[in-house]
Amino acid sequence: MYGAQHLHEFGGLSAVDFQHSTGEASRPAADAVAWRLAVDPYGDDADLSWERLFAAFLDSVDASRVRAVIVGQWGEAYEEDSSVPISHIIAAAGRLTSLEAIFVGDLEAEEAEITWIKQSDVTALLAAFPQLTELGVRGGTDLSFPPTKHERLRALTIQAGGLPVQVVRGVLDSELPALERLDLWLGVSGYGGDTDVADLAPLLAGTRFPRLDHLGLRNSEVQNEIAAAVASAPVVAQLRTLDLSNGTLGDEGAAALLEGQPLTHLDVLDLHHHFLTEPMEQRVRAALEPHGVRVDLSERNEPWGEGGPEGRYTAVSE
């Protein structure tokens, strides 16, 4: 498994680590980057808590101009959940008046496997920041997303090795009229990913998020079933980008896509990390690329063991 990697950009801005020991003159402007705030419990500053780092951040940059914050390691991720950094960010809402984008849990595999990251109720951030336009989360353990309402959120990403169905239902029951981009990493049942295709029905019907034009249903062990459902889903007509990558997609799912509704209106069909045979790859390209659809079929994989669906694997699980 590849594991998750640190973000290189977020909220349309390059990601930069905040260094509390760096002088003000050498720092970028507060609104020029996405600030990554992370501590290393095993490094030279092992006694530096995330709370102290965040306090130094607020005192070192013009907090009123900060546009994007990336929450990295906040301690022992499998002991302390994300309510620790979230509570401090919410407490500073009066100072972070330009904050538009927040990502919680930007840990790569060497820091903590994705299923070790303990999350919490991330909708508290939406309540505290009505101006937020993008929210990202990594890790499904203890993640809570009760149905919420937010007028300005345009992009929501939840990355998990196993995404609990209650989180999916909470997202789909939310009122997010401005939502344009939705990315859900559904994961595998062995790590808590218990969402069935039937649970996605409100989303696939195309009535929940009228402005949605990018849909990612990714990293799933039932990617063929998802592809078959998407093939006839009304929501596809409003999309510009369809992302079914990082999962166990094989020839069965790709054939269902080709035999379903037309996909030639798409700008991008992302199927990277897949298990398609070369002839099926050629069929997909021939059906879509002449119409201007950019098809990503990179990272073709071979099943483990004897092959077949049981030998396929998602890009990120543990």
Side-chain angles (χ1 to χ4, degrees), residues 224 226-234 236-237 242 244 251-266 269 280 283-284 287-288:
N224 283 325
I226 290 173
V230 165
S232 59
V236 173
L242 175 60
L244 303 178
D251 283 4
E252 314 94 298
L257 286 174
L258 294 181
E259 292 162 7
Q261 63 190 300
L263 300 176
T264 51
H265 67 288
L266 293 175
L269 176 63
M280 182 56 76
R283 278 188 60 192
V284 173
L288 297 176

Side-chain angles (χ1 to χ4, degrees), residues 143-145 147 158 162-174 182 184-186 193-203 209 217:
L143 178 62
S144 177
F145 199 106
I158 303 179
L163 191 58
V165 67
Q166 290 303 323
V167 173
V168 174
R169 290 171 179 166
V171 171
L172 301 190
D173 286 340
S174 294
L182 177 63
L184 300 176
W185 293 21
L186 299 173
D194 54 354
T195 301
D196 292 327
V197 174
D199 296 308
L200 302 174
L203 171 63
F209 308 121
L217 296 172

Side-chain angles (χ1 to χ4, degrees), residues 1 114-116 141 160-164 186-195 219-222 314 316-318:
M1 308 308 171
I114 196 168
T115 54
W116 297 0
T141 300
L163 191 58
L186 299 173
V188 302
S189 57
Y191 289 103
D194 54 354
T195 301
N219 197 53
S220 174
E221 65 182 351
V222 293
T314 60
V316 179
S317 58
E318 183 184 6

Side-chain angles (χ1 to χ4, degrees), residues 103 117 247 285:
F103 190 98
I117 303 172
R285 293 189 187 282

